[in-house]
Amino acid sequence: MIGSSKEKISQKQLTSMIILFTIGSAILFIPSFLANVAKQDAWISAIVATVLGLFTVLFYSKLYKLYPKKSYFECATFILGKWIGGAVILITYIYFFILSSLILWDLGEFLKTQVLVQTPIQVILILFMLTVIYTVRLGIENVGRTSEVFLPWVLGLFLLMCVFLIWSLEKGNLLPYLEKGVMPVLHGSYYLLSFPYLELIIFLMITPYVNKETKVQKSFLQGTLVAGGLLITTTFLCILVLGADVTARNTFPVYVLGKMVSVGEFLERLEIIIAIIWFLSIYFKLAIVFYVLVASLSDFVKAKDYRPITLPLGMLLVVMSPIMFTSTMQVASFDKEVFFPLTYIVGFFLPLIVYIAGKIKHKKRGI
Amino acid sequence: MGVLLVATLISIYEIPKMKKQNMKRDFILFSCVLFLASTIATLHVNGVTISNPISGLRAIFSPIGLGIENFFMEKGQ
């Protein structure tokens, strides 16, 4: 169904979806993750990871070019056969499910700890999930068009935020460079490469919808470059304004950054700008992941339409998310112990196997 | 009770549409997922501890994850 659908998204829409997907949830968490290991050099590891991320998406677009009309799951079954391909799909599907419940939980936790302290987390999750279900039922084309509309808002608000922070920069926070050698910097890059760059594997499920095959690589690279720029700037600002220590100690350093805005004693505490950026981007991230979840599940049983299972699957997500993730500490250790290695396997090793096998298949056919 | 109410509402909303278009596979998938979701929700609401599916993953992956962490930490010193 994914391959033969009538829905189409343009190259511009794909780019804006990639940008919003990449900064969604990462923009709030990444500065803290990086500053924890790389201290004041967090921005260097952000740059390193973004360069590596560009190579990753280059690899993804190469994988896409093998069979432009097929989604990643269809590719895997076609190239590796029913059983091995099925195993690849199963692991990737479990990964997508965990990813979506993690995104949902991220949002719930943020609202629960920072904004709606007294509200039960389920209420937040249900309301947000209903919005996402509504969008997904309208189809991927609408998600793409909406993302095109909202992207200027996100970028504009981000720019506004950066301008307002110029008054509170402190250059001394950046010193000394590379205090403990290169290793902590690479450690940070290891985090940032898996979250969010390797998560972009999910776009290989959406690329069959793109109307111009040749433009996919370009929009992959453009999207990652812009989103990487945003992430680098955010980390840089966090270190410059808050310092490495405060950044590492907060779960949501960017939100604290918003609270620090102070221009001439009349423009204060603009953290809601950060919240808006974050809601918009995480909403698109969840919508895209959820669309892939439902579409590939109904594809798997050869159902006619994916819409009927959006509500039950959304219900399952809302129920499972608080069961799977219970506290901030648990999620932090889960990220380090399970999720990052799992992302490397799902986002890098499995596609690599598929790619190599596909290349061999191509060559055989050539002879 | 609330859970069952939600499940019934979803069914009332979706099932007639599926019957009209004669989507058998869709219906089977729909009822499976809805059944799974409402069972887990009912158990969870009634205070039955549901084993966390993550702990299984953790058993498999934590040696790898911790190994990588330690590798970076030791080299960083």
Side-chain angles (χ1 to χ4, degrees), chain A residues 317-364:
Chain A
L317 268 183
V318 169
V319 174
M320 286 309 281
S321 187
I323 296 177
M324 279 157 82
F325 307 108
T326 46
S327 69
T328 316
M329 294 314 295
Q330 186 239 13
V331 171
S333 73
F334 168 77
D335 272 348
K336 280 178 191 163
E337 287 173 22
V338 185
F339 201 63
F340 291 144
L342 186 62
T343 314
Y344 274 88
I345 291 172
V346 169
F348 186 69
F349 290 109
L350 294 182
L352 196 66
I353 294 170
V354 174
Y355 180 69
I356 292 168
K359 270 277 166 199
I360 293 169
K361 208 167 188 175
H362 261 242
K363 264 190 182 166
K364 267 186 184 169

Side-chain angles (χ1 to χ4, degrees), chain B residues 4 9 11-12 15-16 18-20 25 28-29 32 38-40 44-45 47-49 53 62 65 68-69 72-73:
Chain B
L4 293 178
L9 282 178
S11 317
I12 291 171
I15 288 176
M18 281 190 282
K19 262 194 180 158
K20 238 184 229 167
R25 287 169 178 277
I28 297 169
L29 182 67
C32 284
S38 39
T39 317
I40 294 174
H44 186 61
V45 169
V48 181
T49 31
S62 67
I68 296 170
E69 289 290 315
F72 278 116
M73 289 291 178

Side-chain angles (χ1 to χ4, degrees), chain B:
Chain B
M1 280 307 286
V3 176
L4 293 178
L5 188 74
V6 171
T8 336
L9 282 178
I10 293 175
S11 317
I12 291 171
Y13 183 68
E14 292 285 2
I15 288 176
K17 278 188 202 167
M18 281 190 282
K19 262 194 180 158
K20 238 184 229 167
Q21 297 178 32
N22 194 21
M23 303 192 281
K24 220 175 185 183
R25 287 169 178 277
D26 294 53
F27 178 71
I28 297 169
L29 182 67
F30 169 81
S31 23
C32 284
V33 177
L34 188 61
F35 180 72
L36 185 69
S38 39
T39 317
I40 294 174
T42 322
L43 287 177
H44 186 61
V45 169
N46 289 328
V48 181
T49 31
I50 296 151
S51 61
N52 194 339
I54 274 175
S55 51
L57 276 177
R58 185 170 282 223
I60 304 168
F61 280 102
S62 67
I64 308 173
L66 287 178
I68 296 170
E69 289 290 315
N70 286 337
F71 169 75
F72 278 116
M73 289 291 178
E74 277 164 24
K75 295 276 174 161
Q77 294 303 307

